[in-house]
Amino acid sequence: MESAIERNEELPLATSAGNGTVSSRFVDRRLRISPNMERRPERYDDLADDVEAAVFSSLERHLPPTMAELPREAKFQYMSEVLSRYLPEGERTKIQKHKEYRHKIISLYKPLHRDLFTINPAAFFLPSFLKAMSDNTEESIRSIMSEPSPGIFTFPMLQPSFCQMLLEEVENIENSVRLRNIKIMKPNTMNKYGAVLDDFGFDAMLTKLMEDFICPISKVFYPEVGGTALDTHHGFVVEYGKDRDLDLGFHVDDSEVTLNVCLGKQFSGGELFFRGVRCEKHVNSDTLPEEIFDYNHVPGQAVLHRGRHRHGARATTAGHRINLLLWCRSSAFRELRKYQKDFASWCGECQREKMERQRQSIAATKMQTFLRTPTGSVI
């Protein structure tokens, strides 16, 4: 059965007529697979409610050419309909409640280190990382990267002083909510200990971290999973050790690209283990030997990987480990992914299935050629 994209369906949209009235016209519904980076998107802060305005600005670069000159409100309506197809009403209600919770927390919380809430590159990042990102070339980015396993990149990133300040801020967050008897939201569905940094006023800083420092890297290494169009994030810290989470089960992240940086403190164990990249269909498929990789955390060093790269964390056997995580997401990639069945560009199992189909096709062609060859001929 053809998908909506393959059928090139059309959608009626309201557009302003010359006399100021609203008329209806049909436009191409198909999103661009690659973003139009030459187009400067409009801002939607005054229109967006349930979804962050940055999502609409990013998605605008994927709009079909026929929509480029439509009024902002018409583009917003179209993109809202696109987003609603993977953001159910129940999820919208949940988002609204979370916004109210976040507003309450931010109004009460008194930061310990206010310098952490705006990006200060020289104070936050190691010189080697900062120079590579300032040069902003594929060569400079690759120069600081190690790729110990396909698709997994490690690199020195954060200043020790920044790590220490963020650790102190996390402790301040925990003390603050404890004194006010406020229930702190869990970082995600698997971790019980830690905090969602966006809930405490870090949203602007983490957005800039994603846009100015993670996006350039993701464009180089992860274009096939939305790395060229990251537009939202979920930023949080997790804690492991005695009286905290000990380990983390086998899972995939709700992200297209994940940044994971160890902040400290003193600890033993807690290694990450990776077991291959999988699409939703193959998430529980077997792991091949070449997909097995274990990683030991180093304070200040970052690990970058696809969100669909299956992984977990072994038990922290001693001490206290705290990590900063940034889940980076692409609304355009998630929309386009719904119309795909084959993810061989990044899913290990899809790649193997494709290679097997090709092998069988070649074998069948050889057999047909053999059967058509006259008796006694040499192939």
Side-chain angles (χ1 to χ4, degrees):
M1 182 179 296
E2 288 183 317
S3 69
I5 282 183
E6 292 167 334
R7 290 196 302 270
N8 196 23
E9 291 181 353
E10 294 179 325
L11 177 70
L13 284 178
T15 111
S16 297
N19 58 7
T21 61
V22 173
S23 63
S24 235
R25 110 179 203 193
F26 287 87
V27 297
D28 184 356
R29 183 173 182 170
R30 182 165 51 190
L31 292 176
R32 296 168 55 102
I33 295 177
S34 299
N36 179 6
M37 301 308 294
E38 295 179 359
R39 180 169 183 81
R40 184 178 181 85
E42 300 190 63
R43 297 188 65 88
Y44 296 89
D45 303 78
D46 59 323
L47 297 176
D49 184 20
D50 294 339
V51 180
E52 291 184 35
V55 174
F56 292 96
S57 296
S58 177
L59 192 57
E60 184 181 334
R61 286 196 167 108
H62 290 266
L63 292 181
T66 51
M67 299 192 65
E69 303 307 322
L70 288 183
R72 187 175 67 112
E73 290 74 12
K75 288 184 288 189
F76 177 78
Q77 176 190 337
Y78 172 83
M79 292 186 288
S80 295
E81 292 176 4
V82 169
L83 293 171
S84 68
R85 293 202 287 272
Y86 72 87
L87 194 62
E89 186 62 33
E91 185 66 18
R92 290 176 180 270
T93 301
K94 181 180 177 182
I95 290 173
Q96 183 57 39
K97 289 182 177 179
H98 188 192
K99 281 185 177 181
E100 295 170 359
Y101 165 84
R102 180 177 293 181
H103 178 75
K104 176 183 177 182
I105 290 289
I106 292 175
S107 66
L108 294 173
Y109 180 64
K110 295 182 179 180
L112 179 64
H113 298 295
R114 291 192 177 274
D115 291 345
L116 291 175
F117 291 78
T118 54
I119 284 282
N120 182 346
F124 285 16
F125 304 122
L126 293 169
S128 59
F129 176 78
L130 192 55
K131 184 180 186 308
M133 301 311 300
S134 298
D135 293 345
N136 195 25
T137 65
E138 180 173 340
E139 182 181 6
S140 68
I141 290 172
R142 288 186 180 276
S143 70
I144 61 168
M145 297 288 174
S146 297
E147 189 177 10
S149 185
I152 301 172
F153 297 92
T154 65
F155 51 98
M157 183 180 184
L158 296 180
Q159 293 273 16
S161 56
F162 171 84
C163 293
Q164 182 59 37
M165 283 197 299
L166 190 51
L167 288 172
E168 293 171 1
E169 196 70 39
V170 170
E171 184 176 351
N172 188 56
I173 286 172
E174 293 173 342
N175 292 336
S176 176
V177 296
R178 190 180 302 115
L179 287 173
R180 290 180 169 83
N181 198 28
I182 298 174
K183 182 179 180 181
I184 191 169
M185 291 190 70
K186 296 177 182 178
N188 53 64
T189 58
M190 297 183 71
N191 287 99
K192 296 179 181 178
Y193 296 92
V196 178
L197 294 179
D198 296 299
D199 292 344
F200 291 85
F202 281 90
D203 181 69
M205 185 274 273
L206 294 175
T207 294
K208 193 166 182 62
L209 172 62
M210 181 185 74
E211 292 178 348
D212 292 356
F213 298 95
I214 305 306
C215 285
I217 300 174
S218 297
K219 289 176 182 177
V220 173
F221 297 123
Y222 306 117
E224 75 290 344
V225 293
T228 60
L230 302 177
D231 51 27
T232 57
H233 71 268
H234 175 56
F236 56 97
V237 291
V238 290
E239 300 187 50
Y240 295 89
K242 185 179 180 182
D243 300 325
R244 298 289 192 273
D245 289 319
L246 288 178
D247 55 18
L248 188 64
F250 195 45
H251 67 285
V252 294
D253 295 337
D254 183 14
S255 69
E256 273 60 75
V257 177
T258 292
L259 173 73
N260 186 340
V261 192
C262 181
L263 300 175
K265 304 175 179 178
Q266 297 295 321
F267 61 90
S268 299
E271 303 87 353
L272 288 178
F273 59 92
F274 292 90
R275 297 296 183 265
V277 185
R278 295 292 187 275
C279 65
E280 190 66 33
K281 177 183 176 182
H282 296 123
V283 69
N284 293 315
S285 61
D286 294 337
T287 301
L288 296 185
E290 61 267 25
E291 295 178 317
I292 296 175
F293 173 67
D294 292 358
Y295 170 78
N296 293 309
H297 286 290
V298 177
Q301 180 158 294
V303 185
L304 198 70
H305 60 85
R306 294 178 183 87
R308 300 297 307 185
H309 206 136
R310 302 180 301 178
H311 62 285
R314 294 198 172 88
T316 298
T317 54
H320 187 189
R321 177 169 69 86
I322 301 180
N323 281 49
L324 165 67
L325 285 104
L326 190 67
W327 287 356
C328 304
R329 297 161 174 162
S330 169
S331 55
F333 173 75
R334 294 185 176 208
E335 169 64 15
L336 293 169
R337 186 178 61 187
K338 296 192 303 183
Y339 304 109
Q340 291 181 264
K341 296 180 180 179
D342 183 358
F343 302 98
S345 65
W346 54 271
C347 171
E349 194 63 27
C350 283
Q351 291 173 1
R352 283 187 283 277
E353 289 182 352
K354 183 177 182 178
M355 292 176 63
E356 178 59 22
R357 290 194 299 269
Q358 292 174 342
R359 186 195 67 78
Q360 292 178 1
S361 176
I362 292 171
T365 300
K366 287 183 176 179
M367 179 59 69
Q368 291 175 359
T369 302
F370 175 80
L371 294 175
R372 288 197 301 266
T373 302
T375 304
S377 298
V378 177
I379 300 179

